[in-house]
Amino acid sequence: MVGNRRGEASRAALLAAGKAAFSGDRYEEVSIVDLARSIGVAAGSISYHFGGKRGFYLAVLEQAAEEFWGDLLALRGPALDRLTRGIDRLLDEAEQQPRAFEALFADVADAEVRQIRDRHRTQLTDALVVEVTDSGSSPVLRAAIAGFVAYIEGLVLHWTRTRDITRDQVKDLAVGNMFGTILAALRTDPNIELTQRAIDAALSDPQALAFLGSLSTASKTTE
């Protein structure tokens, strides 16, 4: 039992150190010998726990994705508030762990990294679909939400690389796109039934109400 606890502690310490290392440097720039030495363990510990540098890197990315997903699931409160805080959490991740964020969300050629990203994309899409409708999964809504998730990733990547808009503008774009995505899905598939959570979120956001009003006006002028 003592050995197991030590092994788990060693693995956890390595993952924490790896998260810090891969967040600031590229994969090829990280020395596992230096990393192991920095926390007082043998370099062979990485091979023992993860099978080598490659397995270690993937484990670090997987844990980062799991931690982010866990933080999103733990959010409580009105839907619009949770959406805003979730975007804030994503922006924090992009700022604090730029290399790991880039590795997970940029279009990379690494199939194993893409697999980690796509698995969590699917989880997030599933959660958002349930948030929006209780009437079953509309293929139109699922396609729209999947596109929204990809949009958010691209938007945040653009922001981290250019910083030509403010953090608040990123959040406004993200929230506005979410409402636009839902409205576009409703227009395409009128059988989608919104949850009360989604309706309350739209009613509490002035931008969403203005957009709804503009759609109503545009509809009347084309009749």
Side-chain angles (χ1 to χ4, degrees):
M1 290 295 292
V2 173
N4 287 341
R5 286 197 296 271
R6 287 177 179 171
E8 290 171 3
S10 173
R11 189 177 192 279
L14 284 168
L15 285 172
K19 182 178 180 180
F22 290 121
S23 292
D25 296 319
R26 294 183 177 87
Y27 173 81
E28 60 274 11
E29 296 171 338
V30 174
S31 164
I32 58 174
V33 174
D34 291 343
L35 186 147
R37 186 182 296 123
S38 71
I39 59 173
V41 299
S45 296
I46 291 176
S47 294
Y48 174 77
H49 289 294
F50 306 101
K53 183 178 179 180
R54 171 70 177 173
F56 178 50
Y57 174 64
L58 293 174
V60 169
L61 290 182
E62 180 67 54
Q63 177 168 284
E66 287 289 350
E67 287 177 353
F68 174 69
W69 176 244
D71 287 347
L72 292 187
L73 286 179
L75 294 175
R76 295 292 183 269
L80 183 58
D81 179 61
R82 283 184 284 118
L83 175 62
T84 303
R85 285 186 289 144
I87 295 166
D88 262 326
R89 178 67 179 80
L90 184 63
L91 293 172
D92 288 343
E93 194 82 3
E95 287 191 302
Q96 296 166 12
Q97 304 181 60
R99 295 297 187 192
F101 185 88
E102 181 100 8
L104 273 174
F105 295 110
D107 284 331
V108 294
D110 191 318
E112 288 179 292
V113 174
R114 282 203 316 274
Q115 188 176 42
I116 294 172
R117 179 191 63 188
D118 290 347
R119 184 166 62 253
H120 290 277
R121 269 184 178 177
T122 300
Q123 286 182 309
L124 182 55
T125 298
D126 290 344
L128 289 173
V129 168
V130 171
E131 190 72 29
V132 172
T133 181
D134 286 331
S135 59
S137 178
S138 158
V140 168
L141 181 63
R142 176 166 290 280
I145 295 295
F148 167 75
V149 171
Y151 166 80
I152 294 300
E153 293 170 2
L155 173 65
V156 176
L157 277 172
H158 174 82
W159 175 68
T160 58
R161 290 167 175 171
T162 66
R163 298 303 177 101
D164 55 1
I165 62 175
T166 67
R167 181 174 171 129
D168 284 342
Q169 286 174 322
V170 173
K171 289 165 63 177
D172 285 344
L173 285 171
V175 172
N177 189 270
M178 182 61 177
F179 285 123
T181 295
I182 295 171
L183 290 169
L186 286 169
R187 292 183 67 175
T188 306
D189 182 2
N191 293 320
I192 296 171
E193 296 179 11
L194 296 182
T195 61
Q196 190 60 48
R197 297 185 299 275
I199 294 171
D200 290 343
L203 293 176
S204 66
D205 187 89
Q207 291 180 339
L209 287 174
F211 189 39
L212 281 168
S214 67
L215 284 179
S216 177
T217 302
S219 177
K220 289 178 181 178
T221 58
T222 56
E223 289 177 354

